[in-house]
């Protein structure tokens, strides 16, 4: 069980691993394969940074990398940032299908990556972002 940067892994069933198999690396793979957009790494400064108050690396960097915050209907390839009581937009998912039931792809700590209905996280949505090449 090792990291292979050249591997083409399935979207579903990936095991969470801090810093190399997480919600953002899954998103990077999706964008690279599905849209040909290469997203840079946004590593936290420390493994527990997501527990600290303040802007996340996502919020600091998305607009610098071709994303624009949107308030309209979900579209395929939209990036969805969610937050809870302990974090400020430190979790991301990608819209894989906007209709008839909006579907997202993501991975959580101690869980495997999977597709799920947007309604499962809609109450925790912090913001929705769209890449300029996916408009």
């Amino acid at each position: 069980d090792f990291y292979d940067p050249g591997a083409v892994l399935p979207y579903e069933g990936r095991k969470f691993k801090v810093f190399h198999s997480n919600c953002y690396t899954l998103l990077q793979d999706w964008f690279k394969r599905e849209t040909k957009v290469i997203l840079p790494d946004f590593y936290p400064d420390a493994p527990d940074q997501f527990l600290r108050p303040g802007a996340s690396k996502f919020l600091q960097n998305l607009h610098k990398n071709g994303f624009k915050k949107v308030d309209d209907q979900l579209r395929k390839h939209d990036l969805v940032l969610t937050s809870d009581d302990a974090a400020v937009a430190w979790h991301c998912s990608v819209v894989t299908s906007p209709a008839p039931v909006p579907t997202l792809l993501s991975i959580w700590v101690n869980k495997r990556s999977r597709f799920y209905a947007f309604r499962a996280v809609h109450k925790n949505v912090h913001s929705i972002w769209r890449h300029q090449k996916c408009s």
Side-chain angles (χ1 to χ4, degrees):
D1 193 18
F2 63 96
Y3 175 64
D4 179 359
V8 178
L9 300 173
Y11 293 130
E12 275 191 293
R14 295 183 190 193
K15 190 167 128 182
F16 181 90
K17 293 180 187 175
V18 176
F19 295 121
H20 78 80
S21 182
N22 54 50
C23 62
Y24 186 67
T25 60
L26 182 62
L27 193 86
Q28 285 176 303
D29 282 354
W30 174 271
F31 271 87
K32 182 179 179 181
R33 283 193 228 167
E34 304 298 325
T35 70
K36 308 297 186 234
V37 171
I38 306 297
L39 300 177
D41 294 326
F42 302 146
Y43 291 115
D45 298 325
D48 66 343
Q49 185 176 7
F50 67 94
L51 296 173
R52 302 176 194 163
S56 72
K57 293 283 184 174
F58 296 131
L59 295 176
Q60 295 169 355
N61 291 290
L62 286 175
H63 66 283
K64 298 175 191 174
N65 289 280
F67 285 90
K68 180 180 175 183
K69 190 175 173 181
V70 295
D71 293 323
D72 55 358
Q73 294 286 352
L74 288 175
R75 293 188 195 169
K76 187 172 185 174
H77 310 303
D78 281 354
L79 185 155
V80 178
L81 291 181
T82 54
S83 63
D84 58 22
D85 293 340
V88 178
W90 268 107
H91 185 77
C92 63
S93 303
V94 62
V95 176
T96 59
S97 175
V101 176
T103 304
L104 306 176
L105 171 66
S106 199
I107 186 173
W108 285 270
V109 176
N110 299 324
K111 295 188 180 185
R112 293 194 178 263
S113 60
R114 68 180 182 93
F115 295 95
Y116 61 96
F118 176 75
R119 68 178 173 270
V121 298
H122 80 277
K123 291 181 182 175
N124 294 348
V125 171
H126 175 277
S127 52
I128 299 170
W129 298 74
R130 186 168 298 140
H131 196 275
Q132 62 191 9
K133 293 185 179 176
C134 302
S135 293

